[in-house]
Amino acid sequence: MKRLSDTGTPADSAPTGLDEAGRQAASDVAWAALSLLGCSIVEVYVLDELTGEYVPGAFAASGDAPVPGRSIFAEDLSVVLPFGRVSVSVPDASALAGPIGAAGMRLHAASLLALRLDRGRRSLGFALCAFLEAQTRQQESVANQVRR
């Protein structure tokens, strides 16, 4: 695994309230998800509570760095991953519309796994795990284990 970058956005465009410790935590989550889930790219989005947007906080990639992502409104995330649901597996990323689908296309994902990063009833962010090949049953099993 090649470490390309700790953060998907420059420090001066970090989400409100996300300091160096927050960016490092987002980076740690991205790298842990990359190594545990076997995906190709993980982007961690952090909720900016003032704007209601999830902004790119960090990414990890096993190959080339992805093009930086754009903010995603909380309402757009809830279409794919409603609050209260821990994860969702999307076997065919090309069938997904909206900003999450656009993120999948930007990452050249064949399939996606989205994971909520919540603390109790408070949303902190979410991770988008991109697989460059269609998910196998083993990857779907990992997604099911994450849901528990």
Side-chain angles (χ1 to χ4, degrees):
M1 183 178 340
K2 180 168 71 172
R3 188 174 182 120
L4 296 172
S5 176
D6 285 338
T7 148
T9 58
D12 59 0
S13 66
T16 304
L18 188 63
D19 57 8
E20 184 57 33
R23 281 190 296 279
Q24 186 59 51
S27 178
D28 290 347
V29 168
W31 286 103
L34 186 76
S35 63
L36 290 171
L37 299 174
C39 49
S40 301
I41 300 169
V42 177
E43 283 189 321
V44 174
Y45 291 78
V46 180
L47 180 62
D48 181 335
E49 294 176 330
L50 295 177
T51 64
E53 293 179 314
Y54 290 95
V55 295
F59 72 85
S62 60
D64 292 334
V67 173
R70 296 179 178 257
S71 297
I72 296 175
F73 284 102
E75 297 81 20
D76 293 324
L77 176 64
S78 67
V79 169
V80 176
L81 187 60
F83 190 79
R85 186 157 183 197
V86 176
S87 67
V88 65
S89 177
V90 181
D92 182 6
S94 66
L96 198 56
I100 304 293
M105 288 179 57
R106 179 179 47 78
L107 299 174
H108 306 288
S111 56
L112 292 170
L113 175 64
L115 305 166
R116 273 198 171 277
L117 306 172
D118 297 337
R119 184 175 186 190
R121 297 187 52 86
R122 181 176 174 218
S123 180
L124 302 176
F126 75 97
L128 191 60
C129 308
F131 297 88
L132 300 185
E133 297 177 12
Q135 283 186 312
T136 64
R137 291 189 191 277
Q138 178 184 6
Q139 290 166 330
E140 289 172 3
S141 174
V142 169
N144 289 332
Q145 290 175 3
V146 169
R147 289 184 191 131
R148 295 182 189 161

